[in-house]
Amino acid sequence: MKKWIAFIVFIFPLWSAWSSAVDQMVPAEFLEQLKNEKTVSVIHEEEDENLTLVPRCFFQAELNENRIVKNSSPYTAEFLYLISKSELMESGTGNYEKITIEDVAEILTAISTMSGMRYRFSENHPKGSLLYREVYTMESLKSKKKIPDDIRRNCDGLKVLCYQHDRLLGDLKFALDYRQRNDEIYLTIRNKVPLGLFGIHACKEDNLALNIHVTDLGDDILFYISADANYDNVFKMFSIRGFIKKLMNERLDAIYRWFFLRF
């Protein structure tokens, strides 16, 4: 009996610390679902642009403020994932004995590993379809010249430019801005060329913002990703906003899958 009491006394602070960290960071209305299902998503309606899944963290204000001014066809979506480190290490190929925020920084700065990323998995297509044919760090916006990834274990203050060939959207260029503090990494991504579909420029330069925030919770990782965009009115004319939502949601999920599989 004394041994059981001693075990409970030992384990309770550890459980309490994990529970407290998650409870304090995640909005209360989504907490139970996140713990049970390990993922929560909110795909906002056109008139609803208030972010609701942003973790309570050091970069919370920046996450809420890094928005796109909407004046035509807005898109806002958020995804939150609770990732078990033990599951990552068991199923992954990286031979990690432990996972730290420094390891997360290395993965997020190795952007060329997105090359060959796949999506649209199903029972009929278990291997999915190719999403990004090629992704790499580039020299400048005027030149698509490939340069080595600036891989860091502390990425605070890092700014890079990224080229990406998307199977539907074609040649894209993005600016990536990294912040890191203690057990958190915050990455913002902005489009530096218009985004087009079917030969139509649907989203002007700097009209798409992606936010990625990762928190090391000890035994788990809290992964938040959101996209905020303003699309031109031409897409209202063709009534394909639903298609745009699907297209963007798939890409957000693909980024999470890439992150997860890198371990």
Side-chain angles (χ1 to χ4, degrees):
M1 184 65 179
K2 290 181 179 180
K3 290 182 178 180
W4 277 108
I5 293 174
F7 174 76
I8 293 172
V9 170
F10 171 75
I11 201 67
F12 179 77
L14 300 180
W15 174 86
S16 179
W18 177 88
S19 178
S20 177
V22 176
D23 292 357
Q24 290 178 11
M25 292 191 69
V26 177
E29 61 267 37
F30 302 105
L31 185 59
E32 184 176 355
Q33 182 183 349
L34 181 66
K35 287 183 176 181
N36 292 335
E37 302 177 15
K38 307 305 180 186
T39 179
V40 179
S41 63
V42 177
I43 314 301
H44 296 258
E45 296 301 324
E46 188 166 349
E47 66 278 1
D48 174 22
E49 298 179 34
N50 294 318
L51 298 179
T52 55
L53 289 180
V54 175
R56 300 184 187 95
C57 60
F58 180 80
F59 297 109
Q60 182 178 3
E62 287 91 332
L63 283 160
N64 279 301
E65 292 169 4
N66 184 28
R67 308 300 305 279
I68 299 297
V69 176
K70 314 293 197 314
N71 54 23
S72 55
S73 302
Y75 163 85
T76 305
E78 302 175 88
F79 294 79
L80 188 62
Y81 304 88
L82 185 62
I83 309 169
S84 166
K85 287 186 180 181
S86 61
E87 292 181 8
L88 280 181
M89 291 184 286
E90 288 174 7
S91 61
T93 59
N95 297 318
Y96 286 92
E97 294 183 1
K98 64 177 182 178
I99 296 173
T100 66
I101 197 67
E102 289 77 20
D103 298 320
V104 172
E106 281 192 342
I107 287 174
L108 290 179
T109 53
I111 59 176
S112 64
T113 60
M114 286 187 175
S115 297
M117 184 192 299
R118 307 187 74 82
Y119 76 142
R120 292 185 177 175
F121 298 90
S122 67
E123 291 185 4
N124 294 330
H125 299 282
K127 294 184 179 180
S129 301
L130 180 66
L131 176 55
Y132 300 135
R133 181 179 303 167
E134 188 174 21
V135 181
Y136 59 78
T137 305
M138 63 184 184
E139 186 175 61
S140 70
L141 290 176
K142 294 182 178 180
S143 168
K144 292 195 299 184
K145 182 180 179 180
K146 183 188 300 186
I147 61 175
D149 290 336
D150 191 351
I151 300 175
R152 301 188 184 185
R153 290 182 65 78
N154 187 325
C155 55
D156 188 46
L158 176 64
K159 298 178 184 293
V160 301
L161 297 173
C162 167
Y163 167 80
Q164 185 182 88
H165 186 277
D166 186 294
R167 69 184 296 265
L168 288 179
L169 302 178
D171 294 334
L172 305 177
K173 297 178 182 180
F174 295 96
L176 283 66
D177 189 348
Y178 296 82
R179 300 278 302 280
Q180 184 170 341
R181 177 184 172 90
N182 299 330
D183 294 327
E184 299 180 27
I185 293 177
Y186 173 37
L187 168 60
T188 63
I189 304 172
R190 288 279 185 130
N191 69 309
K192 306 311 292 185
V193 294
L195 301 179
L197 192 64
F198 310 135
I200 302 171
H201 283 169
C203 183
K204 296 184 177 69
E205 178 183 339
D206 283 320
N207 267 231
L208 170 65
L210 276 69
N211 289 288
I212 297 174
H213 184 273
V214 183
T215 309
D216 184 349
L217 295 176
D219 292 332
D220 301 272
I221 292 172
L222 189 65
F223 184 97
Y224 171 87
I225 182 169
S226 67
D228 198 40
N230 183 52
Y231 290 96
D232 289 347
N233 279 319
V234 64
F235 276 90
K236 281 189 174 180
M237 292 168 56
F238 289 101
S239 301
I240 59 172
R241 185 174 184 273
F243 178 76
I244 290 294
K245 287 173 64 176
K246 181 176 184 295
L247 182 147
M248 288 301 303
N249 294 346
E250 288 175 336
R251 280 150 180 76
L252 294 183
D253 185 63
I255 292 174
Y256 161 72
R257 287 181 58 87
W258 162 78
F259 175 80
F260 185 89
L261 295 173
R262 285 287 292 139
F263 291 97

